[in-house]
Amino acid sequence: MAEAEQKTLADLRQLIIDGVIPAGERLSEVSVAEMMGVSRTPAKLALARLEMTGLISKRPGRGYTVRKVSLTDMKKVISLRGVLEGAAAAAMARNDVSATALSDLDASIEMTDAIVRKCAISLDDVETYQRANTLFHETIMYACGDEYIPLAFEPIRHFPLAALGTHVPNPELLDRERLRMSVGHAQHIIVASAIRDRDAMRAQAVMQEHSNATFEYARLFVGEHSAEHIPSLLKSV
């Protein structure tokens, strides 16, 4: 995804999450392009991506609507997703794991490792991290060896921010985002290791914690007061 498209997506998503664009607001390629000062192509791609995460819904005909859902509802859905992802990781540890699934987990970790080792990250890195994160989470959910777990996840997957591997970065604080990514990357390594070791209890505990971190880690690592306890990584090596 080009830089203009990435920034349009990130900025539009933040405006919705912050409530600047309220629930029930109608959005279209034209209105988003005018609002963000971009052409219709990045606006179109941003809207399509946001629909996938459940923040907006497609209207009959043309356009989208910002979904009406409370922060409390979102937290409940994410908590439920965490339970299911933890169960999937435990099942994967107990069951025979295909070579393809293990290869996909390794590929995801390699992608995120290359990003968190950088001194500073870009919007391109954020996009790559999102793809790698989605690959990791979808692999565990759909290759866990228990078909009832993804069936249980199906009814909630279109709720806001409930999509597997959803990452909500702040494009203005990429140094702090890198720290949050580093924590997520470390948890991926632990979960993958537990799966290989057939340690179902550890895989479940770490995966559930990791899945539930959407809001809490954003507050800790990228929140308003993070500068008080999280050092900048702009000069890290």
Side-chain angles (χ1 to χ4, degrees):
M1 184 182 285
E3 184 174 353
E5 294 161 0
Q6 293 169 4
K7 191 173 190 313
T8 300
L9 170 62
D11 290 347
L12 183 60
R13 178 170 47 204
Q14 199 66 46
L15 289 173
I16 292 173
I17 291 173
D18 290 344
V20 177
I21 302 177
E25 182 82 2
R26 296 184 180 183
L27 298 174
S28 67
E29 294 174 21
V30 174
S31 66
V32 170
E34 291 177 352
M35 183 192 315
M36 312 302 290
V38 297
S39 68
R40 291 180 62 174
T41 297
K44 178 180 180 179
L45 292 172
L47 288 168
R49 183 68 66 85
L50 289 177
E51 184 191 13
M52 291 172 60
T53 64
L55 283 176
I56 62 176
S57 57
K58 194 80 170 64
R59 295 177 57 80
R62 294 185 177 182
Y64 299 82
T65 301
V66 178
R67 294 190 62 171
K68 296 180 180 180
V69 61
S70 69
L71 183 61
T72 298
D73 290 337
M74 291 169 69
K75 288 182 176 180
K76 288 178 180 177
V77 170
I78 288 172
S79 178
L80 177 56
R81 183 192 66 188
V83 171
L84 293 172
E85 288 203 88
M92 201 172 190
R94 289 192 298 265
N95 296 320
D96 291 330
V97 182
S98 71
T100 299
L102 291 176
S103 177
D104 286 342
L105 293 182
D106 289 343
S108 170
I109 290 172
E110 287 177 9
M111 291 168 69
T112 54
D113 184 72
I115 293 169
V116 300
R117 288 181 181 274
K118 292 186 175 184
C119 294
I121 62 173
S122 66
L123 287 174
D124 282 339
D125 293 320
V126 172
E127 176 69 15
T128 300
Y129 184 92
Q130 175 65 77
R131 292 199 307 272
N133 199 43
T134 299
L135 173 62
F136 188 89
H137 285 257
E138 289 186 348
T139 298
I140 289 179
M141 177 61 71
Y142 297 113
C144 69
D146 184 339
E147 67 273 20
Y148 291 104
I149 296 174
L151 280 176
F153 173 69
E154 183 66 20
I156 68 168
R157 70 184 182 90
H158 288 303
F159 277 72
L161 302 183
L164 295 170
T166 295
H167 180 69
V168 185
N170 186 329
E172 304 302 322
L173 298 170
L174 291 182
D175 59 327
R176 296 177 188 173
E177 286 292 351
R178 178 180 171 276
L179 178 56
R180 180 158 63 131
M181 290 177 184
S182 297
V183 174
H185 168 70
Q187 290 175 325
H188 283 189
I189 292 174
I190 294 170
V191 170
S193 176
I195 289 171
R196 290 181 184 276
D197 293 342
R198 294 186 175 274
D199 187 342
M201 185 176 296
R202 189 180 191 204
Q204 180 169 8
V206 178
M207 190 65 187
Q208 185 167 341
E209 162 68 17
H210 175 67
S211 180
N212 284 337
T214 300
F215 290 109
E216 181 63 13
Y217 287 11
R219 183 187 67 80
L220 286 174
F221 300 140
V222 198
E224 181 182 357
H225 303 295
S226 59
E228 297 174 5
H229 55 88
I230 303 295
S232 171
L233 296 172
L234 287 174
K235 296 182 180 180
S236 63
V237 295

